[in-house]
Amino acid sequence: MNRTALVTGASRGIGRGIALSLAGRGFDVMINYASSPEKAEETRQACLEAAGSNGHTIRAEVIRANVGNGDDRLALINFCREKFSHLDLLVNNAGITSIGRADILDATEENFDRLMAVNLKGPYFLSQLAARWMLETQSASSPSCRGQIINISSISAYAVSTNRGDYCMAKAALRMMTQLYAVRLADEGIRVYEICPGVIESDMTAPVKAKYDKLIEDGLWPIRRWGQPSDIGSAVCAIAEGAFPFSTGEVINVDGGFHMRTL
Ligand SMILES: NC(=O)c1ccc[n+]([C@@H]2O[C@H](COP(=O)([O-])OP(=O)(O)OC[C@H]3O[C@@H](n4cnc5c(N)ncnc54)[C@H](OP(=O)(O)O)[C@@H]3O)[C@@H](O)[C@H]2O)c1
């Protein structure tokens, strides 16, 4: 029986990179998206190919759900439960950037609520549903590791951008959320991790590409290149394959070394 992973926001960008990496290692993948069915189907096909080229036979399913909506989250988990017997890994990846990128003196409550719903409330309550599923189905077979949850945060969890206050706060809160679930679920055999990406090449960062091309050249972080979705995929796979059995609540920086202060 294959291991299984649900990756939110896997139609494009980092989520697609994560789904591809997992599929290449033989995981069945549940590919969630919000509004791009064609892109999600492209991810599905690419996952089947990635698995096949490594000699694996996997299943890949595409599921539309807005993770910011409670009914959608429930429908997402119910769909997955109908299709798959168990869940080994949830990756809370889906996220949006700050809408309009307004200065905090001009930011609106409506945009704040929309961002918080997707980037914070979504992962918080989806983790609850996923953990319950893991606990229901994984008890007898593998009591020492009944599942894992990975939250995709951002260097914005600690680096201040005054034109993306809501985004920064949501990512900072995701750090505490990781610790809350890590402590609550440790005795249950579920491990919880945060992957903290630096600047990664995707649709989200396309509008600021020229800015970062220059900053990277000037050495904003020690490893002078753009991060790629596959960099995050590799880190997810290390966790998924059990590389950190005595760690939980851990932050894994995948940022080219951005997090270090240098003189
Ligand atoms: N790119 C970076 O530099 C960077 C750095 C640090 C952290 N991150 C984080 O990494 C995650 C992925 O970012 P990305 O750069 O890959 O973004 P992206 O290229 O804009 O892709 C976003 C993905 O999330 C999905 N999505 C958006 N809203 C959703 C919702 N309400 N429900 C379900 N899925 C939704 C999108 O689905 P559709 O295609 O259907 O719209 C898409 O698959 C985000 O949490 C982001 O904050 C990104």
Side-chain angles (χ1 to χ4, degrees), residues 5 99 162 263:
I99 303 160
T162 54
L263 286 173

Side-chain angles (χ1 to χ4, degrees), residues 151-196:
N151 300 313
I152 305 298
S153 66
S154 168
I155 53 177
S156 296
Y158 60 86
V160 171
S161 296
T162 54
N163 65 340
R164 293 187 297 129
D166 45 8
Y167 186 83
C168 292
M169 286 192 290
K171 293 300 185 181
L174 210 53
R175 180 154 295 184
M176 175 51 77
M177 187 196 111
T178 300
Q179 295 179 45
L180 287 164
Y181 274 108
V183 171
R184 173 61 183 83
L185 297 173
D187 279 343
E188 315 278 9
I190 296 176
R191 304 285 171 259
V192 187
Y193 305 88
E194 171 188 340
I195 290 180
C196 186

Side-chain angles (χ1 to χ4, degrees), residues 9 11-12 14 34-36 65-67 93 153 167 171 198 200 202 205:
S11 49
R12 300 180 279 121
I14 292 173
S35 58
S36 313
N66 170 6
V67 298
N93 165 78
S153 66
Y167 186 83
K171 293 300 185 181
I200 308 295
S202 74
T205 49

Side-chain angles (χ1 to χ4, degrees), residues 9 23 30 52 61 91 117 122 134 161 179 182 210 219-220 224 239 245 259 262:
M30 304 164 220
E61 296 279 350
V91 185
M134 288 170 181
S161 296
Q179 295 179 45
L220 182 62
R224 294 187 200 210
I239 295 170
H259 63 282
T262 54

Side-chain angles (χ1 to χ4, degrees), residues 3 11 42 77 85 112-113 145 152 180 204 206 247 252 256:
R3 293 162 296 174
S11 49
E42 275 174 31
I77 289 291
S85 61
F112 181 97
D113 288 345
C145 184
I152 305 298
L180 287 164
M204 187 179 278
S247 303
I252 294 159

